[in-house]
C-alpha cells in the first residue's frame, strides 16, 4: 500500500491578501458596472418618448422635449436659412444673399429626430452607456439642413 502526504492547503499571508484584493477589485468593478447600467436603464424609462438631458441642437437645449416640441423649438429659434447671410465678392462688387435663396433650408424634423436618437441608435453597448455619458457631459448636434437643387433649374 502506498502512502501519500496530505496536501498543504494553508496560504501564506501575502497570498491571502492578494486573493482578498482580487475579490475586492472584481466586486468593485462589478458594482460600478451594475450601477452604471441601472442609471442607464433609469434614464431610458424616465425619458421614454423624450430627448435625453443635455442634448443641444446648434446650441438650443432640447432636453426633455418630445419630437414635436423639439421640432417646433428648432423651427422657431434657428433662423439662419432665412436671416443668415452669404456674401459673395468679386473685386469691388458685393452680393448678399440669404441661404434660402440658394436652396438651403432647415429640416427641423430631421434635427429633432437626430437629437431623439442620441443614445437610442447603434449597437447595444452604445445604447447602454451613451445615455449616462450624455447626461454627465452633454452633446451638441449640428442642425440638419436640406439643399433643394431644383430651386433654380
Amino acid at each position: 500500500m502506498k502512502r501519500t502526504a496530505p496536501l498543504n492547503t494553508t496560504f501564506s499571508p501575502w497570498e491571502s491578501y492578494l486573493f482578498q484584493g482580487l475579490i475586492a477589485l472584481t466586486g468593485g468593478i462589478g458594482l460600478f458596472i451594475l450601477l452604471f447600467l441601472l442609471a442607464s436603464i433609469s434614464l431610458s424609462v424616465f425619458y421614454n418618448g423624450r430627448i435625453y438631458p443635455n442634448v443641444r441642437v446648434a446650441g438650443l437645449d432640447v432636453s426633455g422635449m418630445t419630437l414635436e416640441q423639439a421640432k417646433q423649438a428648432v423651427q422657431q429659434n434657428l433662423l439662419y436659412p432665412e436671416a443668415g447671410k452669404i456674401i459673395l465678392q468679386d473685386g469691388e462688387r458685393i452680393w448678399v444673399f440669404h441661404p434660402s435663396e440658394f436652396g438651403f433650408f432647415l429640416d427641423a424634423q430631421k434635427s429633432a429626430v437626430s437629437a431623439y436618437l442620441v443614445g437610442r441608435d447603434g449597437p447595444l453597448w452604445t445604447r447602454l452607456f451613451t445615455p449616462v455619458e450624455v447626461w454627465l457631459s452633454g452633446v451638441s448636434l449640428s442642425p440638419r439642413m436640406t439643399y433643394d437643387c431644383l430651386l433654380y433649374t
Side-chain angles (χ1 to χ4, degrees):
M1 184 149 91
K2 199 179 205 186
R3 293 184 109 192
T4 58
L7 293 175
N8 185 5
T9 57
T10 60
F11 294 106
S12 65
W14 69 270
E15 289 173 324
S16 177
Y17 294 138
L18 180 64
F19 183 69
Q20 289 174 359
L22 286 175
I23 288 176
L25 181 65
T26 304
I29 291 172
L31 183 62
F32 175 77
I33 291 173
L34 179 69
L35 290 175
F36 203 83
L37 291 175
L38 183 63
S40 179
I41 291 169
S42 298
L43 279 171
S44 296
V45 169
F46 186 72
Y47 284 93
N48 187 24
R50 298 183 300 145
I51 296 171
Y52 285 129
N54 291 333
V55 176
R56 299 178 180 278
V57 175
L60 175 67
D61 188 11
V62 292
S63 303
M65 295 183 186
T66 64
L67 279 173
E68 189 58 37
Q69 291 170 335
K71 176 184 170 186
Q72 290 174 358
V74 168
Q75 280 176 331
Q76 292 170 356
N77 293 298
L78 301 182
L79 306 174
Y80 178 74
E82 292 81 25
K85 294 180 181 175
I86 296 176
I87 300 173
L88 302 175
Q89 182 175 357
D90 178 28
E92 293 187 20
R93 296 173 33 179
I94 297 175
W95 297 272
V96 178
F97 298 96
H98 296 291
S100 58
E101 293 179 285
F102 284 113
F104 288 101
F105 299 98
L106 175 68
D107 193 336
Q109 179 67 31
K110 284 184 182 177
S111 297
V113 168
S114 68
Y116 180 78
L117 289 178
V118 170
R120 292 182 170 96
D121 196 24
L124 178 63
W125 186 258
T126 303
R127 291 191 316 253
L128 286 175
F129 289 101
T130 302
V132 176
E133 182 183 338
V134 168
W135 178 49
L136 294 174
S137 60
V139 66
S140 185
L141 304 171
S142 298
R144 302 298 183 244
M145 304 292 283
T146 301
Y147 173 64
D148 185 1
C149 64
L150 300 176
L151 191 62
Y152 291 108
T153 58

